[in-house]
Amino acid sequence: MVLNSEEAAQPANPVILETIRLTKQFGSVVANDGVDFTLRKAEIHCLLGENGAGKSTLAECLYGYYHPESGEIHHKGRAVSLSSPSDAINLGIGMVHQHFILIEPLSVVENIIIGTKMKSTLLNLAQAERKIQDLCDQYGVQLNLKAKIWQLSVGEQQWVEILKALYVGCEILILDEPTAVLTPQETERMFGVLRQMKSQGLSIILITHKLGEVMDISDRVTVLRKGKRINTVDTRDVTKEDLARMMVGRSVIFRVHKDALEPGEVVLEAQGLRALSDMGQEMLRGIDLAVHSREILAIAGVAGNGQRELFETLIGARKATAGRVLLRGEDITGLPPRKRLLKGLAHVPEDRIRMGLIPEFSIAENLILGNQRLAPFRKGLGIDDGQVQKFAKESVETFEIATPSIRQRTRFLSGGNQQKVILARELHQRPQAFLVHQPTRGLDVGVIEYVHQQILALRSSGAAILLMSEDLSEIFSLADRILVMYRGAIMGAFPADETRLDEIGCLMAGFEYDPGAQNHKIGLEYE
Ligand SMILES: Nc1ncnc2c1ncn2[C@@H]1O[C@H](COP(=O)(O)OP(=O)(O)O)[C@@H](O)[C@H]1O
Ligand SMILES: [Mg+2]
């Protein structure tokens, strides 16, 4: 039974920020559709919803960045009109955006005081630094304030954004998907600080689509779906399953069933693989891995540690500067992607538009892209249009691709629907080796489950699957083995056992796991 917290009879802190029937449109898209939202003093309030649900839009309206078409915003009981973020900041509202707005060549201190009224004389800088250091001490944040932004990890950069908001004295802090770039340990540390802020009277709006985090940290949660507020509940009154149902509008199973299978022979292999980034830096520093038949090997890591380069080198879209790629023992290092595909190496790229689809082609055309010469689509020298249409209609149905027609150009589909087109096409070929990078990012929970089932079915049929994902829950529900990648190298190999999460998290952040002792950073080249 789900109680609406507005009706729950308990003394609650006063409402500090409120929206009434807030509506914000982008052209014909109603991103926020009459949303009522309340934030109380000293609470952590999660905004939960799938991609595109309208979470960021609501936050940007509260921060004065977007201007709603209709509805009201009340701050401490008074209607306010926020014409820009500086209005919000003056009311004590701070925000950390999904994409940070920091200036790379400047130091932490300089970034924090920039835009504040203070002139950056040396004396003031020293004063500012003391004040910032006090904030760090207060919250147990360890940060070298003299470091330049480019020298910091993404997690550290996020602290700079948070300190920036605290420095100007915010009472309300909005965080838009802050944990997306963090390891499990960094997330835990951040949650500790958020709890402390709350105990000191701050109110926090935390945007996420991760249910575990909502259950862990929030007092209340507001669920958005397709721009509408579905419900606002006390977190302790609900389960993960309740929230999932509110998010997607129906119930979903969390764990897909996975058969116990004995892995077979090696299908895909990398030996001492090296490659450069687009900027010419060495991004792969000698990768060795072997994926067996009937096995899902997962690569865990924070984005930007060479996953993209590894993926592209394996499929043939990036040149290996050293090492080899083998498919069933055959050296395919020199082959272009198309030839690798014909040999049974299929892939689903992270970057859908750039690598996975031809945006100006229809859904039906994209669904047979690369396979048009293969059965059942080939008919003499041409294409069997009846078969193509049949397959397209089936795919649209089973993958729930939201489109008026199979003739729709994929350019007009949402990211999630584009991903479904790619998955439908690649899975249809029943490949021997399957490379997937972020296969379910941006998809609805129900579709994620479907995609996971499809990947597991492929495993049962004998394929070797290499999964790269930043989502550890995805990795744990699918993988048989896990490799951790950090700065272009494999840092460790693990069975898919959640009790090893701490070790995996440490390696993701570049630490050697050492229970008891102080962790020390490895592989870092700081000045
Ligand atoms: N600046 C914009 N221009 C046009 N459409 C936008 C813009 N920002 C968001 N949208 C659309 O509004 C909807 C809600 O987006 P958003 O608030 O970013 O969702 P969420 O943060 O929950 O993923 C989506 O359909 C998105 O495509
Ligand atoms: Mg968002």
Side-chain angles (χ1 to χ4, degrees):
M1 158 73 182
V2 174
L3 279 178
N4 190 319
S5 69
E6 309 299 334
E7 297 154 12
Q10 70 201 314
N13 288 336
V15 168
I16 178 167
L17 194 63
E18 182 173 16
T19 70
I20 301 168
R21 292 186 300 282
L22 187 108
T23 295
K24 172 69 196 165
Q25 282 177 242
F26 296 103
S28 62
V29 176
V30 189
N32 284 166
D33 189 356
V35 173
D36 294 326
F37 171 79
T38 59
L39 178 70
R40 296 206 178 112
K41 189 169 166 52
E43 79 163 336
I44 299 180
H45 195 137
C46 276
L47 271 183
L48 176 70
E50 293 173 354
N51 257 317
K55 307 179 295 292
S56 294
T57 302
L58 179 60
E60 297 290 5
C61 287
L62 292 172
Y63 190 57
Y65 185 76
Y66 288 152
H67 308 124
E69 268 75 48
S70 63
E72 293 168 26
I73 298 175
H74 291 213
H75 177 258
K76 297 186 178 170
R78 274 190 25 232
V80 291
S81 150
L82 305 172
S83 58
S84 74
S86 65
D87 288 347
I89 292 166
N90 286 334
L91 292 175
I93 303 172
M95 179 158 175
V96 176
H97 295 80
Q98 236 166 326
H99 306 286
F100 309 147
I101 318 170
L102 296 170
I103 305 166
E104 300 242 316
L106 295 188
S107 74
V108 172
V109 175
E110 288 162 335
N111 266 278
I112 290 175
I113 63 170
I114 232 167
T116 64
K117 303 233 158 44
M118 213 181 87
K119 289 191 206 76
S120 59
T121 63
L122 272 179
L123 186 68
N124 283 333
L125 264 182
Q127 259 175 19
E129 183 169 342
R130 217 167 309 127
K131 184 172 166 191
I132 297 164
Q133 191 58 56
D134 285 347
L135 283 171
C136 288
D137 295 344
Q138 187 183 345
Y139 292 110
V141 176
Q142 283 178 6
L143 204 58
N144 175 359
L145 301 186
K146 292 200 168 64
K148 312 282 190 226
I149 296 302
W150 62 266
Q151 293 172 307
L152 304 181
S153 72
V154 195
E156 289 169 325
Q157 291 183 13
Q158 184 149 271
W159 282 117
V160 180
E161 290 279 14
I162 294 173
L163 286 167
K164 214 171 152 172
L166 294 173
Y167 184 80
V168 293
C170 70
E171 293 181 341
I172 296 168
L173 182 60
I174 307 171
L175 298 152
D176 196 350
E177 310 236 7
T179 62
V181 296
L182 302 182
T183 63
Q185 283 94 344
E186 287 174 321
T187 300
E188 220 9 81
R189 215 172 307 139
M190 159 168 286
F191 282 4
V193 174
L194 296 185
R195 288 191 186 99
Q196 196 187 339
M197 290 176 178
K198 172 181 121 176
S199 72
Q200 292 170 345
L202 259 73
S203 307
I204 293 161
I205 300 175
L206 179 74
I207 298 180
T208 178
H209 57 256
K210 298 182 188 167
L211 294 168
E213 294 184 352
V214 175
M215 298 305 290
D216 186 18
I217 186 86
S218 68
D219 300 296
R220 289 196 300 158
V221 48
T222 289
V223 183
L224 296 179
R225 185 166 81 227
K226 296 185 175 145
K228 290 202 167 65
R229 187 193 66 130
I230 299 302
N231 209 343
T232 299
V233 293
D234 277 1
T235 311
R236 59 168 173 264
D237 295 335
V238 291
T239 62
K240 241 170 140 172
E241 286 73 14
D242 292 331
L243 292 176
R245 213 173 302 124
M246 290 179 214
M247 245 169 102
V248 302
R250 62 192 169 82
S251 54
V252 286
I253 315 163
F254 273 100
R255 287 278 167 195
V256 278
H257 172 73
K258 193 170 142 195
D259 292 325
L261 293 177
E262 201 52 48
E265 71 282 21
V266 172
V267 177
L268 180 70
E269 207 173 344
Q271 295 177 345
L273 206 57
R274 291 178 179 270
L276 304 179
S277 72
D278 295 336
M279 310 290 284
Q281 293 148 320
E282 177 148 82
M283 285 305 279
L284 298 186
R285 310 179 179 202
I287 300 284
D288 293 306
L289 58 83
V291 200
H292 298 75
S293 163
R294 291 189 294 278
E295 176 189 57
I296 299 177
L297 177 66
I299 299 209
V302 178
N305 279 286
Q307 295 96 322
R308 203 179 102 206
E309 287 78 10
L310 177 59
F311 182 89
E312 291 177 359
T313 311
L314 289 173
I315 66 166
R318 182 175 296 269
K319 193 171 162 291
T321 51
R324 304 197 299 164
V325 181
L326 305 175
L327 187 64
R328 290 200 179 279
E330 181 189 345
D331 190 335
I332 58 166
T333 320
L335 295 186
R338 240 191 72 72
K339 292 233 168 94
R340 295 188 197 204
L341 184 66
L342 290 174
K343 289 189 180 290
L345 173 66
H347 64 265
V348 172
E350 173 190 38
D351 186 342
R352 287 147 206 174
I353 304 284
R354 201 166 62 87
M355 293 177 65
L357 293 169
I358 299 182
E360 295 308 323
F361 279 17
S362 71
I363 292 175
E365 287 161 334
N366 270 291
L367 275 168
I368 60 158
L369 205 64
N371 304 331
Q372 62 271 33
R373 303 246 167 273
L374 304 175
F377 307 124
R378 181 179 172 164
K379 187 178 178 185
L381 291 175
I383 286 172
D384 187 336
D385 202 45
Q387 286 292 342
V388 174
Q389 287 211 23
K390 179 165 165 280
F391 174 56
K393 284 188 180 131
E394 279 168 13
S395 301
V396 164
E397 207 164 289
T398 45
F399 280 81
E400 298 178 16
I401 298 169
T403 175
S405 134
I406 58 169
R407 304 258 164 247
Q408 175 82 294
R409 276 181 276 168
T410 53
R411 175 156 75 90
F412 296 113
L413 297 179
S414 71
N417 284 304
Q418 291 174 341
Q419 181 74 335
K420 294 180 199 172
V421 172
I422 298 174
L423 281 163
R425 177 184 69 214
E426 299 299 323
L427 285 168
H428 183 69
Q429 288 309 308
R430 297 274 143 201
Q432 293 180 19
F434 194 43
L435 258 67
V436 281
H437 195 184
Q438 307 278 24
T440 58
R441 187 169 59 182
L443 300 189
D444 300 352
V445 179
V447 183
I448 291 176
E449 186 195 323
Y450 179 76
V451 170
H452 284 178
Q453 278 165 358
Q454 294 296 308
I455 292 176
L456 286 169
L458 192 63
R459 167 180 172 269
S460 299
S461 76
I465 296 154
L466 185 67
L467 165 74
M468 296 190 199
S469 179
E470 281 151 45
D471 181 350
L472 280 174
S473 64
E474 172 162 86
I475 287 186
F476 279 114
S477 51
L478 292 180
D480 298 295
R481 280 191 302 139
I482 300 171
L483 301 181
V484 181
M485 195 163 173
Y486 177 74
R487 300 222 166 168
I490 302 294
M491 307 304 294
F494 299 88
D497 171 0
E498 283 183 63
T499 61
R500 310 291 292 273
L501 185 62
D502 279 352
E503 289 166 79
I504 291 172
C506 279
L507 290 182
M508 282 168 66
F511 286 101
E512 199 92 64
Y513 180 68
D514 188 1
Q518 186 96 33
N519 285 315
H520 59 279
K521 243 179 180 173
I522 45 173
L524 264 185
E525 290 136 26
Y526 270 136
E527 291 179 323

